[in-house]
Amino acid sequence: HELVNYVHYPTNIFELKQSSGKPKQSSIVTIFSIWNTMMGTSLLAMPWALGQAGLVLGLGIVLGMGAICLYTCYLLINSESQYKQLTPKKKLYDFVKDPEAGTIRKKMKIIEYTDIADKFLGRPGKYSSLLFSILTMFGSLIVYWILMSSFLYNIVLYIIGLQYGEADSTTNTTASNVEVVICPSASNTSTSEINFLHTANMSGFNADLFLQLWDKQKTVPLFLLLLIFPVLNLKSPTFFTKFNSLGAVSVCYLIFFVVYKSIRLGINFDLSESQGIKLANWNFPALSGILAMGFFIHTCILSIVRNQENPKNNGRDLSIAYLFVFVTYTTISICFYLSFPMHRSCIQPILLDNFPVTDIMTFFARIGLFFQLFTVYPLLSYIVRIQILLIIFKKAWPSIRHVLLLNIGSLILCILFAVFYPHIGTIIRFAGAFCGLAYIFTFPPIIYLVYCKRMGTLTVPKIIIHSVIVVIGVANVIAQFLIL
């Protein structure tokens, strides 16, 4: 296969080269890999998404979506053995030349999602899976660009504040818990992320001119281009795979960050109108859309479990990993939501935006996440590039001109969203709903039904249950348009 295995989340291990050794991966490694892969941008939006659904309804949706995603992912794992069962043995192997021995040896083919879709759904299934794969990754690129622009903007503000002795001033204030968080959506807030530029003792520093040149939407996405563009045109970005371990470090720090801040803020739970806490809310599709992204691992699960030491434990390990993901999401969401001392409508789609730019812990979180995304963006862009070029030109590198044009087009799309529509919560929920419709709610159930039909084990209850899953996916997409 020339198409590289791709993983949707930034905390993944991009498999640019397959291991040829014997399976040695323990269950602990498998569980951690699945958990680590699913932990990504959705984690930052979970408190906001929970607020959109309401506390009680939201927890029910997290549980329900997690269960459906677990089941369909399990169906996908089983579909690999079903593929082998229905495929002649001679077609499961490739004959490759051993350069050292000078002989021809037989090697088991690597089965990917597109192979399974092609086997059970025909060429329309294969190409539709590729199409949704590319669309999903474009959605991820847009989200990453907006996040990197936001992180870079605040990082620079903190450094300037540090130079003039203003950074970390808010974290030393203990008179009121309200001073620890901010409400960027409130027009009359006195804790704006840029107020310190005007109040600091900055001799010879023109704060107004700086803020015109360093604007979160208008200029920072363009400045980011200067950092990213040079590394996008490399033939192979394998250098960046050396930094994949940063994903786990960033996620662990973010979990610690939220729990620590929540403990410091204390419980602020009051069902009166003053705090805006809701047990159920009609905006719940925002949560279901984001969770379709948050529980999404279906396109890379085969790569993760392929080297499992005991394949019979795949179902158990997958269930444990999903349980850990559920616990992580609910911990982050509940801790932040219940401890937030202001009206819950102030909770931002990027939870870090609820803390002052001068907060040193938030600064380190942004630094870690920015560097993580900066190393992942070229990898994801590379995978988008080779998938598109292989489909059109049958070559991963037809010419530097083709690569430049494709990269420029991709960057223009990301910059336009970052400048004109940087609403990351909305983008994540739409991307999650659409990619989930294909990879979570449609392909696995239909593939399973096709397999059952070919084996003569198809029953009415199976048809009803798996058709309901497809309907839920369709309803999830439609619902996203109802809460615009």
Side-chain angles (χ1 to χ4, degrees), residues 6-160:
Y6 92 90
V7 179
H8 188 64
Y9 273 116
T11 53
N12 60 8
I13 299 175
F14 284 82
E15 291 191 79
L16 299 179
K17 184 177 181 180
Q18 294 290 346
S19 172
S20 59
K22 294 182 180 180
K24 296 180 181 179
Q25 183 171 290
S26 66
S27 290
I28 294 177
V29 173
T30 301
I31 293 169
F32 177 77
S33 297
I34 296 172
W35 173 86
N36 185 37
T37 301
M38 281 194 277
M39 292 292 102
T41 54
S42 299
L43 193 61
L44 294 169
M46 283 305 299
W48 172 81
L50 181 67
Q52 298 300 303
L55 186 59
V56 175
L57 179 60
L59 292 177
I61 292 175
V62 175
L63 183 61
M65 285 290 292
I68 293 175
C69 294
L70 167 61
Y71 177 67
T72 56
C73 194
Y74 179 71
L75 288 180
L76 186 58
I77 291 177
N78 286 341
S79 66
E80 182 179 18
S81 61
Q82 295 163 0
Y83 174 93
K84 294 177 180 179
Q85 182 181 354
L86 297 176
T87 303
K89 287 189 178 297
K90 63 180 181 179
K91 293 186 177 181
L92 294 176
Y93 294 91
D94 285 324
F95 292 92
V96 296
K97 185 176 181 180
D98 190 334
E100 296 181 358
T103 59
I104 303 296
R105 62 184 178 86
K106 189 166 61 172
K107 181 182 178 182
M108 175 73 75
K109 286 183 178 180
I110 297 173
I111 301 171
E112 303 296 351
Y113 201 125
T114 51
D115 299 317
I116 295 172
D118 188 22
K119 178 70 176 179
F120 290 97
L121 305 178
R123 297 187 73 82
K126 176 181 179 179
Y127 286 109
S128 62
S129 67
L130 283 172
L131 175 63
F132 275 97
S133 166
I134 294 171
L135 292 177
T136 299
M137 288 187 286
F138 267 120
S140 296
L141 290 174
I142 292 170
V143 170
Y144 295 168
W145 197 271
I146 296 173
L147 284 174
M148 285 190 293
S149 298
S150 175
F151 296 154
L152 182 61
Y153 171 77
N154 287 286
I155 287 169
V156 171
L157 287 185
Y158 179 89
I159 293 173
I160 291 177

Side-chain angles (χ1 to χ4, degrees), residues 186-197:
S187 58
N188 61 345
T189 179
S190 60
T191 55
S192 170
E193 61 186 12
I194 60 175
N195 270 356
F196 75 98
L197 288 179

